[in-house]
Amino acid sequence: MTVTAKAPPAADERLSKPRLLDQLVVRPEIGAMLGALLVFLFFSVVTEQFLSLGGAATWLDDASMLGIMAVAVALLMIGGEFDLSAGVMTASTALVTALLATQLGLNVWLALLVSLAFALAVGALNGWLVMRTGLPSFIVTLGSFLALQGLNLGVTRLVTGSVQVSGMRETVGYESAGFLFASTFQIGGQSFYVSIIWWVLFTVIASTVLVRTKFGNWIFAIGGAAQSSRAVGVPVVRSKILLFMTTAFAAWLVGSINILRYASVQANQGIGLEFQYIIAAVIGGCLLTGGFGSAVGAAIGALIFGMARQGIVYAGWNSDWFQLFLGVMLLAAVLVNNMLRRRAERVKR
Amino acid sequence: MTAAALLSVRGLVKRFPGVTALQGVDFEVRAGEVHCLLGQNGAGKSTLIKVLSGAHRPDEGEISWRGEVVSFGNPTAAMRSGVAAIYQELDLVAGLSVADNVFLGHELSTAGFTRRAQQRRRTRALLDRLGHPDIAPDRDVGRLSVAHQQVVSMARALSLDGQLLIMDEPSAVLDPDEVRVLFGIIRELTAQGVAVVYISHRLAEIREIGDRVTVLKDGRTVATGLSARETKTSELIGLMTGRVLNNVFPQRKPVDPAAPEVLVVRGLADGDRFAGVDLTVHAGEVVGLAGLVGSGRSEILETVYGARKAAEGTVEVDGRKLRRGSVGAAVRAGLGLCPEERKSQGLLLDQAVYRNITVSSMSSFARFGFLDDRAERARSTKLTETLDVRPAGVDRVVRGLSGGNQQKVVLARWLLRECRVLLLDEPTRGVDVGARSEIYELIRELADSGVAVVVVSSDVEEVLGLSDRVLVVREGRVVHDGPADEIDESRVLDLVMEGHAA
């Protein structure tokens, strides 16, 4: 090996220039990074509060709640599947926790555990159904989306007589659980929500798994070519089910943060968010067809969301404009990503 | 060389619904040899590979590996035993790096974390062994040339300590220089004791690289253990073709020399796959294009049809020039194409039979923009009765029909449109022997009614039996053009395979 080890560096050096450029261009998150920079600069110039610590705390928090989900959804999308039930799932998990704690007087920690088990079971069911039936996950999870939505409203009304569960503050373990999920920390006299740390942590873990582990390798492989992956011995079914469980886990995390921060939950929460997750993942460079994308990209996609949503508020514009901005942003990101990929493919050979 | 066989196969039978693909295959492969499998399209080579590599389970017969009877339940099991197939459509995942592909499914890892550096080193070593230090282990596989992808596939097989490599027409996607490199690799591997099962249509290649030859025909071994270098070409071709005639071709009518030239193609080239193609088809004439897969024959048809854009040359129908690269113009001028991939390109599989028939003639069934459903059914019913589509019933979904009957539906579509020129790409692929003669009959009837027909087929017997005139295509050039009754099967095969010395 020592002999050959000497030779390659010379060859690599010759190749390194175009290859470095190529690699930069094919990074999935490059479009999102440029976008985030643009949005950041724009609102920093246009508004006063955006760049202040207080402003940053607000848009980072907004981005974090979306980002945790977007990252999980990105993993799933790279693996070639969708989960439309992810949005409602954040409400379902919060409701399970809240109902158990307030109605049955369960310790909040125990309630959280049961809720987690529930989430993982639903995720596994989603995955199992998709793999078993061979139907597109878009349809299967559309079904579980509707079912969960109905369950959320129906059960909540049945138990509480209203469409919300509140009174978490009086439950046992609320303080300690709240510290983990809903507390704040101080930087420069400004308090930031702990959800931001969760977001960063989740992104780092997801990205590490994706890039450094063999499971990460499998995610790309099953999303890019499930048939070939199976042929070489990748456990396709198990991996995909695990990915559905990962989004369910993320939904549980976001649901828990919500319920412990606001101490109450609306049964119709979370509806419509599933598309925001997908949008953030796509802005972050994920392909709808699977096999390509990045966890960091999705996190940045969520950051763009957060910055824009709060930036528009700081600018004093009507929040109606947010949707327009979102649409333009999505199209621009997809076009840029597409262009870069094409360009990268042209260098082929 | 040891007499003990690495792999031996006895009495292998594989049935698919309606077809027996293998009906008694015997052969054995020794360590360190290149064993060639020879046979025409449909002889069962692909099925055999799939059975050997664990993708299909045999219905009868036994496979012995290193002297023990084995049954590979799936490709992974076969690979772990040391049998690896390298298919033409390579099983690589674009988007992953070379090293990741080599170790996909059997990653080197600690606690789930991939040992990338080690994988890279091992890949580097494997690629060096294969004579390709120029392939960087970090490169995205999707960005490699096909030849290099093939090397990566081989590296994967070797990473599993493969003792038997099955290569399915590896040279089909390679240019002559790359073939030479491939042969170098094969020689090195066999010198190290690895056995190679090599499948190719090209006799010259088999002579150069092969040790022994097994000839398959109609799913049966007709000869095995022949010397690859000393067996005469005529003997090999005789073995491949000398079948009992099982397809009956309809009687030809002499083509009226005064019949108008319906399709005239001059100097057609696509700038890549073929060039300088001249083709004239008279009314009532069937012209056959013979050639290997990849010779450019399908591309020629598609370009005439306008589905691919021509770089040079003209296509005229009834004396009028067609706009290049426009299917719409071609169809309006009276061209019809029955594509090779009937299921993905030619049929609306989940629609009713009648809709598939009328889809190209919708406007003739429309009144004020609304379709006259009853007329559609009536016309379709008449056609399906004439063509004897079974089971009858125009409301049936096409997916449920057999290959032969699906082909009849496609033919019915063009009959309804009363097209002037019919282009048929592999008209009997996936059609069982019984239904073939009916398809031939139909094609001949169409021609007799004045349609100009062009048929592309890998089956030389079919081209010769069906056509009035035959063009032989090799590497994108027409190398022969003459009446079908003045040329025989072995001469066509000679022409088709000639000049493949790498």
Side-chain angles (χ1 to χ4, degrees):
Chain A
M1 255 350 268
T2 43
V3 183
T4 45
K6 278 237 160 54
D12 282 354
E13 243 159 36
R14 250 188 312 126
L15 290 168
S16 73
K17 252 198 177 156
R19 261 186 56 197
L20 208 82
L21 230 166
D22 278 7
Q23 283 190 342
L24 201 69
V25 162
V26 294
R27 290 304 309 158
E29 57 275 85
I30 192 82
M33 275 176 166
L34 291 174
L37 195 67
L38 271 178
V39 174
F40 178 81
L41 290 176
F42 177 77
F43 286 112
S44 298
V45 172
V46 171
T47 75
E48 305 252 302
Q49 298 104 308
F50 189 79
L51 214 52
S52 71
L53 273 178
T58 315
W59 51 258
L60 277 176
D61 176 48
D62 189 357
S64 71
M65 302 291 265
L66 185 68
I68 294 170
M69 290 307 295
V71 167
V73 165
L75 292 190
L76 183 67
M77 281 175 70
I78 297 170
E81 305 292 341
F82 290 101
D83 188 354
L84 296 186
S85 68
V88 218
M89 197 62 179
T90 61
S92 300
T93 50
L95 283 167
V96 170
T97 309
L99 284 173
L100 289 175
T102 60
Q103 302 295 318
L104 298 181
L106 231 59
N107 183 303
V108 172
W109 286 101
L110 197 58
L112 282 172
L113 270 183
V114 175
S115 164
L116 175 60
F118 164 79
L120 293 179
V122 173
L125 181 71
N126 271 339
W128 181 79
L129 275 176
V130 168
M131 295 319 293
R132 188 62 210 261
T133 57
L135 290 170
S137 50
F138 195 90
I139 293 300
V140 171
T141 59
L142 185 62
S144 43
F145 159 65
L146 293 171
L148 281 177
Q149 190 184 336
L151 212 58
N152 287 355
L153 282 163
V155 172
T156 308
R157 201 188 292 277
L158 204 68
V159 176
T160 69
S162 71
V163 289
Q164 71 160 2
V165 184
S166 49
M168 277 298 284
R169 282 185 218 288
E170 288 79 47
T171 55
V172 186
Y174 175 75
E175 287 300 321
S176 57
F179 174 75
L180 189 60
F181 291 106
S183 59
T184 56
F185 58 96
Q186 304 286 321
I187 294 178
Q190 173 64 43
S191 47
F192 288 81
Y193 272 113
V194 76
S195 59
I196 298 169
I197 294 180
W198 279 111
W199 173 41
V200 173
L201 197 67
F202 195 73
T203 307
V204 168
I205 293 173
S207 198
T208 309
V209 167
L210 202 55
V211 181
R212 294 242 168 269
T213 69
K214 66 177 176 183
F215 183 62
N217 230 1
W218 293 351
I219 296 175
F220 281 109
I222 58 181
Q227 207 59 41
S228 306
S229 310
R230 191 165 309 163
V232 300
V234 175
V236 176
V237 173
R238 207 184 337 140
S239 305
K240 289 208 175 187
I241 291 179
L242 215 54
L243 286 175
F244 277 102
M245 291 172 74
T246 307
T247 42
F249 170 81
W252 169 80
L253 183 56
V254 170
S256 303
I257 291 171
N258 269 326
I259 186 67
L260 291 166
R261 185 188 291 180
Y262 303 112
S264 70
V265 54
Q266 301 288 327
N268 61 356
Q269 221 167 282
I271 296 168
L273 292 183
E274 58 282 340
F275 279 109
Q276 297 195 358
Y277 308 149
I278 294 176
I279 292 166
V282 169
I283 289 178
C286 286
L287 287 185
L288 287 175
T289 44
F292 188 80
S294 127
V296 175
I300 297 173
L303 184 64
I304 294 178
F305 251 90
M307 290 196 296
R309 192 146 47 192
Q310 300 309 321
I312 283 172
V313 174
Y314 292 145
W317 303 335
N318 192 316
S319 62
D320 297 349
W321 294 105
F322 175 65
Q323 296 288 341
L324 171 68
F325 173 84
L326 199 61
V328 172
M329 191 67 220
L330 176 66
L331 283 176
V334 173
L335 287 175
V336 169
N337 287 342
N338 199 27
M339 203 180 72
L340 292 176
R341 275 171 49 79
R342 285 254 179 87
R343 207 198 155 105
E345 263 158 31
R346 232 177 291 145
V347 212
K348 205 166 170 171
R349 261 173 194 257
Chain B
M1 187 161 288
T2 49
L6 186 64
L7 174 90
S8 90
V9 168
R10 253 182 295 278
L12 217 55
V13 174
K14 176 70 194 173
R15 297 187 196 90
F16 292 111
V19 196
T20 306
L22 300 179
Q23 35 195 337
V25 173
D26 307 86
F27 78 111
E28 56 174 54
V29 184
R30 296 174 194 149
E33 79 164 332
V34 178
H35 197 108
C36 299
L37 280 182
L38 201 57
Q40 287 198 288
N41 284 61
K45 295 177 308 237
S46 304
T47 311
L48 177 59
I49 306 167
K50 289 198 171 131
V51 171
L52 292 181
S53 64
H56 287 329
R57 279 166 181 280
D59 293 309
E60 285 170 37
E62 60 176 43
I63 302 172
S64 309
W65 176 244
R66 296 175 186 284
E68 279 170 46
V69 176
V70 289
S71 126
F72 298 132
N74 54 56
T76 322
M79 274 188 119
R80 297 216 188 286
S81 305
V83 179
I86 297 161
Y87 295 106
Q88 275 183 62
E89 338 68 75
L90 303 158
D91 276 341
L92 296 175
V93 179
L96 290 187
S97 75
V98 170
D100 283 344
N101 262 289
V102 167
F103 287 98
L104 186 62
H106 59 281
E107 287 83 358
L108 306 174
S109 61
T110 319
F113 284 84
T114 330
R115 293 202 296 272
R116 280 247 156 66
Q118 198 185 345
Q119 286 194 1
R120 219 175 289 139
R121 250 193 331 267
R122 289 267 299 269
T123 305
R124 159 98 298 149
L126 288 168
L127 291 170
D128 283 350
R129 183 176 161 200
L130 291 171
H132 272 281
D134 54 323
I135 303 176
D138 285 329
R139 215 166 159 73
D140 174 357
V141 151
R143 290 152 62 75
L144 295 176
S145 70
V146 181
H148 280 184
Q149 289 186 356
Q150 207 159 39
V151 175
V152 174
S153 279
M154 278 189 258
R156 182 163 73 204
L158 293 180
S159 76
L160 280 156
D161 202 18
Q163 292 303 302
L164 176 71
L165 300 191
I166 304 170
M167 306 177 133
D168 188 6
E169 293 197 43
S171 57
V173 291
L174 304 180
D175 62 38
D177 279 339
E178 292 168 333
V179 172
R180 208 164 302 137
V181 174
L182 174 73
F183 284 0
I185 295 172
I186 291 177
R187 282 194 195 101
E188 247 171 71
L189 290 175
T190 48
Q192 294 162 8
V194 175
V196 174
V197 171
Y198 190 92
I199 288 134
S200 178
H201 281 296
R202 301 173 180 175
L203 281 180
E205 283 182 5
I206 288 172
R207 296 234 179 277
E208 188 181 344
I209 193 73
D211 294 310
R212 297 192 300 162
V213 178
T214 292
V215 183
L216 293 183
K217 194 173 70 59
D218 301 332
R220 247 182 268 275
T221 303
V222 290
T224 187
L226 302 174
S227 157
R229 288 179 192 83
E230 278 138 39
T231 314
K232 278 201 202 109
T233 304
S234 59
E235 188 185 344
L236 289 175
I237 289 180
L239 285 165
M240 281 165 69
T241 57
R243 67 179 124 187
V244 206
L245 204 66
N246 48 15
N247 293 321
V248 182
F249 293 97
Q251 197 70 40
R252 295 192 189 95
K253 264 192 208 159
V255 178
D256 179 4
E261 295 178 345
V262 179
L263 176 71
V264 180
V265 175
R266 280 204 196 94
L268 200 66
D270 72 343
D272 178 26
R273 301 296 298 273
F274 62 88
V277 172
D278 295 317
L279 171 68
T280 305
V281 191
H282 297 83
E285 189 179 28
V286 180
V287 171
L289 289 186
L292 295 173
V293 176
S295 60
R297 25 163 240 206
S298 297
E299 287 79 3
I300 294 174
L301 273 202
E302 283 162 15
T303 311
V304 169
Y305 190 59
R308 293 166 60 100
K309 194 161 180 174
E312 286 168 42
T314 56
V315 177
E316 284 177 26
V317 176
D318 290 328
R320 268 173 307 138
K321 231 192 226 175
L322 296 188
R323 192 149 54 88
R324 272 182 195 168
S326 164
V327 172
V331 171
R332 274 193 300 279
L335 253 69
L337 172 74
C338 300
E340 181 178 8
E341 292 298 329
R342 193 161 54 230
K343 289 188 181 173
S344 59
Q345 296 169 4
L347 285 167
L348 314 166
L349 281 178
D350 291 309
Q351 296 262 348
V353 165
Y354 78 91
R355 262 293 140 74
N356 271 281
I357 294 176
T358 57
V359 67
S360 292
S361 326
M362 281 293 181
S363 50
S364 62
F365 291 101
R367 266 185 302 184
F368 312 114
F370 292 95
L371 285 171
D372 183 351
D373 207 61
R374 202 175 313 161
E376 281 185 79
R377 281 164 209 265
R379 287 295 303 279
S380 305
T381 307
K382 207 176 272 173
L383 276 168
T384 49
E385 278 167 7
T386 321
L387 300 185
D388 194 20
V389 175
R390 276 163 303 186
V394 290
D395 287 316
R396 244 169 238 288
V397 172
V398 164
R399 191 183 288 278
L401 299 181
S402 71
N405 285 297
Q406 289 183 348
Q407 189 63 275
K408 286 184 191 170
V409 171
V410 179
L411 285 172
R413 176 189 301 164
W414 299 117
L415 275 176
L416 178 63
R417 220 193 131 80
E418 291 169 353
C419 61
R420 301 283 297 134
V421 182
L422 194 55
L423 310 171
L424 301 160
D425 198 352
E426 298 280 2
T428 57
R429 166 163 301 179
V431 175
D432 57 58
V433 178
R436 281 184 190 189
S437 331
E438 290 180 48
I439 304 272
Y440 298 146
E441 204 73 52
L442 278 172
I443 294 172
R444 179 48 65 184
E445 273 170 31
L446 270 166
D448 289 346
S449 73
V451 175
V453 181
V454 183
V455 177
V456 158
S457 176
S458 313
D459 186 342
V460 176
E461 189 194 357
E462 178 171 294
V463 173
L464 290 178
L466 196 55
S467 315
D468 299 302
R469 205 148 50 78
V470 172
L471 272 63
V472 179
V473 184
R474 190 180 66 225
E475 289 163 359
R477 304 270 168 183
V478 177
V479 294
H480 173 91
D481 182 350
D485 45 19
E486 288 174 16
I487 188 167
D488 63 13
E489 212 171 334
S490 16
R491 175 72 188 129
V492 173
L493 280 173
D494 266 355
L495 282 167
V496 149
M497 293 176 169
E498 199 174 83
H500 270 294

